[in-house]
Amino acid sequence: MKSIKTKILSIYVFLIFLIFLVASVAIFNQYSLGKAVNGLIEANYRSIEASRNMINAIERQDSLELIYIQIENKQCIKDFQENQRNFITWMTKAQDNITENKEKGVLDNISEDYLKYTEFFSSLQHIKSTSGIEEANKYYSNKIYPLFLNIKENSEKLIQINETAMFNSKEEAIKNSKIQIYATAILSLLSILIGLVVAVVFTRKIVNPIRILIEGIHSVKAGSLSQEIYVSTKDEIGDLAVEFNNMTRRLNEYEKSNIRNLISEKNKSLAIVKSISDPIIVTDNNNKIVLVNRSAESLFDLNESEIAGHHFLEFIENRIIFHRIKNISTGVNTEEKDKILELNKNGKKGFYKVTVASISDDSGSVTGVVTVLQDITGIKELENMKSDFVSTVSHELRTPLTSIIMGTELLLEGTLGNINDDQRDIIMAMDEDSKKLLALVNDLLDLSRIESGKIKMNYENINIKEIIKNTVRSFEESAEDKGIKIYCSIPDNLPIINADSNKLVCVMNNLITNALKFTERGGEIKITAAYDRTNIRVTVSDNGIGIPKEYHKIIFEKFVQVDTKSNNNTGAGLGLAISKEFITRHGGEIWVESKPNCGSSFIFTLPV
Ligand code: ADP
């Protein structure tokens, strides 16, 4: 069979044939039963009718004989003969219609008796004419009447035989009809069973290849591209299976070539990552090591083959790096700034900037983390050298500068003799410049010492409110001189923090000095603080000249000053740099929010 259509049609044709078969058998049974019953009843009925007519005829003949004995009448003889013909006609009909076994014997007897009966009538005629009525009556009583009774009895017997046969036929017909009902029911049942079996077998034959095909498609969907299916049928499903196998073969080849490309690309990337001079560590989202490059191997004294698949902390006991990886992989704090770490490499100190980035899949969920430790030891060393140099120079300049200031002050006080006004002006200018220079040198020295880590932090439990209040108090006089109002609003419930109070005083000094410096007479300065469960946030705002946006980021770098024409700034641009260093050392942050001509707000946070 070629097509599914032909197969389905065949099933239908077969089922229709079964229905036709059952219906034909049922109709035939019905017909033959009806016919058999009809035939039987008709034949018996004909025999009964014949017997009745025979009885009628012979009774009539008997009566005619009696009449004949009493009154001789030609009409009697004529009627007798007429009835004789009738009798013989019906007897012949009965003989032609023998349906029962016993019928023949009875009819033979009747025929034999009737022959005698007709002969006896002839004898009666002779006896009457020769011996008279008396003798004729005797003859009748002795010979004819018993024979008449015999014939009548046999005819009635014939009726009885046929009636019994009719009754039996009815019983037989009921029995047969029952058998035929059973036969039809069994045939119908068989047909239903065969129909069901054929339908199930054929449907299975059609559906099985489809199921194999569906299973094949599922396997391909699950990624098994080497999947081949075998369908033996030569119909449309068979063709589909062949095409399916062609498709999976093509897909397989395509995937293999794709995998080859991917592997080669991966190897290239791996070679690049491996050869990068900065240490790189790749971890999965369970913080297990996936890859380390050669530089990371040598920094942490590891072997990639031994550590791959192990937890980060099993081999790299650096909680700071791990903390950052964990934060990134769990998405807790993805915007942490790059950290600089001091690590030992082959017994030597090195500085590394830790940059951590997440690897995400198409859906955006993190599948891994890349940690790059940028080796900034060289830069750090250079910075240290610079700081050392600045520190040495500042230190060396401080002593002579102090002497110069002391000298100018002595001269101005007149202890060393009187000086005229011109001399005083020159010495005052020298004194002022020397003091500015000393302030700059002091700032430089502070900054270089902070940067080189020479300034030690003295952490203690402090109340920030007091520090702020004391600092503000020290500025009240100068603010009043400048006609600027200072408002200080600090809540009482700020928590005690662990910090270096001197450094915080220095930061507050810088911010308030700047606010005073860059606010016009009549302006105001507000100092506020707030606590947000993790940090204390202090804000110093003024309504002074403000800072343009492009300076907001760089203002905290060394020597950066806003370029304004009306700038009467006498500083060197180091105050904010020093403040930032101090706040960063506390683990906090500092930034500015400002608009030119509207004022500035300097905000810093301190972790609690
Ligand atoms: P200095 O004040 O000694 O110049 P700073 O580092 O303290 O150095 O400040 C750097 C620069 O930032 C200042 O020169 C000034 O241009 C700008 N600045 C700082 N604070 C303010 C302020 N409150 N309003 C306007 N400009 C400011």
Side-chain angles (χ1 to χ4, degrees), residues 14-238:
F14 181 73
L15 293 177
I16 289 167
F17 167 73
L18 277 184
I19 294 168
F20 175 75
L21 186 77
V22 173
S24 310
V25 169
I27 290 166
F28 175 74
N29 280 345
Q30 201 66 31
Y31 173 74
S32 53
L33 188 71
K35 206 177 151 195
V37 171
N38 237 7
L40 270 174
I41 289 173
E42 216 176 273
N44 289 125
Y45 182 75
R46 268 205 302 273
S47 297
I48 291 168
E49 193 192 15
S51 306
R52 286 223 171 97
N53 285 326
M54 278 157 67
I55 290 169
N56 283 343
I58 201 152
E59 275 178 347
R60 183 90 186 103
Q61 277 183 313
D62 185 57
S63 308
L64 285 168
E65 272 180 302
L66 286 174
I67 295 167
Y68 177 79
I69 292 169
Q70 296 309 320
I71 23 169
E72 198 175 331
N73 191 339
K74 281 214 171 128
Q75 187 57 39
C76 275
I77 296 166
K78 222 174 133 190
D79 286 350
F80 186 89
Q81 281 165 352
E82 172 77 38
N83 280 301
Q84 186 180 340
R85 276 197 298 281
N86 273 349
F87 187 92
I88 288 166
T89 309
W90 285 113
M91 191 177 68
T92 316
K93 274 187 184 169
Q95 276 168 339
D96 289 346
N97 190 41
I98 291 174
T99 50
E100 310 305 315
N101 289 338
K102 288 176 191 167
E103 249 181 310
K104 190 172 169 3
V106 177
L107 270 171
D108 285 348
N109 285 343
I110 292 173
S111 157
E112 217 172 279
D113 288 347
Y114 194 70
L115 197 68
K116 278 184 198 161
Y117 187 76
T118 48
E119 281 169 10
F120 285 176
F121 184 62
S122 302
S123 305
L124 181 78
Q125 284 175 20
H126 179 71
I127 289 167
K128 194 191 168 190
S129 61
T130 54
S131 312
I133 294 173
E134 203 66 19
E135 277 307 306
N137 266 334
K138 264 188 201 165
Y139 186 75
Y140 171 80
S141 304
N142 293 335
K143 287 276 185 179
I144 296 174
Y145 188 65
L147 201 59
F148 158 71
L149 287 179
N150 226 10
I151 291 167
K152 196 180 162 191
E153 198 181 310
N154 273 334
S155 297
E156 274 163 1
K157 204 173 171 183
L158 208 60
I159 290 172
Q160 206 182 9
I161 287 169
N162 277 292
E163 273 176 355
T164 316
M166 269 172 86
F167 181 75
N168 286 345
S169 296
K170 185 190 141 209
E171 290 294 303
E172 186 74 7
I174 290 168
K175 213 170 113 194
N176 279 351
S177 94
K178 268 185 190 165
I179 290 169
Q180 277 164 11
I181 286 168
Y182 287 135
T184 313
I186 288 167
L187 187 70
S188 307
L189 214 69
L190 266 175
S191 302
I192 290 169
L193 278 178
I194 293 169
L196 268 178
V197 168
V198 168
V200 167
V201 168
F202 269 83
T203 315
R204 215 174 256 172
K205 269 195 166 183
I206 296 170
V207 168
N208 262 358
I210 298 176
R211 222 186 31 238
I212 294 172
L213 204 66
I214 290 170
E215 276 165 16
I217 291 167
H218 281 172
S219 308
V220 169
K221 209 170 86 185
S224 157
L225 290 182
S226 55
Q227 180 75 26
E228 279 222 359
I229 54 169
Y230 177 71
V231 172
S232 57
T233 51
K234 297 273 177 281
D235 52 18
E236 290 92 333
I237 310 273

Side-chain angles (χ1 to χ4, degrees), residues 475-585:
F475 281 94
E476 271 166 1
E477 211 180 299
S478 51
E480 214 177 290
D481 288 349
K482 269 202 84 179
I484 292 170
K485 284 197 176 118
I486 298 191
Y487 300 102
C488 184
S489 143
I490 315 289
D492 289 328
N493 60 347
L494 291 183
I496 300 292
I497 53 165
N498 197 253
D500 184 329
S501 56
N502 288 335
K503 310 294 183 294
L504 294 185
V505 168
C506 180
V507 172
M508 286 304 294
N509 272 339
N510 273 332
L511 297 183
I512 299 172
T513 309
N514 282 345
L516 279 172
K517 243 196 292 184
F518 300 106
T519 305
E520 300 295 323
R521 179 170 285 276
E524 51 186 44
I525 298 167
K526 276 186 200 148
I527 296 134
T528 55
Y531 169 54
D532 67 359
R533 285 169 178 261
T534 46
N535 293 309
I536 288 178
R537 165 196 277 247
V538 180
T539 310
V540 178
S541 25
D542 59 59
N543 56 357
I545 61 167
I547 302 164
K549 198 164 178 18
E550 63 270 23
Y551 281 94
H552 287 187
K553 278 254 162 71
I554 57 169
I555 204 101
F556 296 96
E557 286 173 18
K558 282 176 271 181
F559 306 111
V560 175
Q561 291 181 309
V562 178
D563 187 19
T564 44
K565 297 259 158 50
S566 62
N567 201 348
N568 57 354
N569 187 8
T570 49
L574 289 172
L576 288 180
I578 293 170
S579 301
K580 188 181 177 179
E581 284 293 337
F582 283 151
I583 295 297
T584 313
R585 283 291 188 93

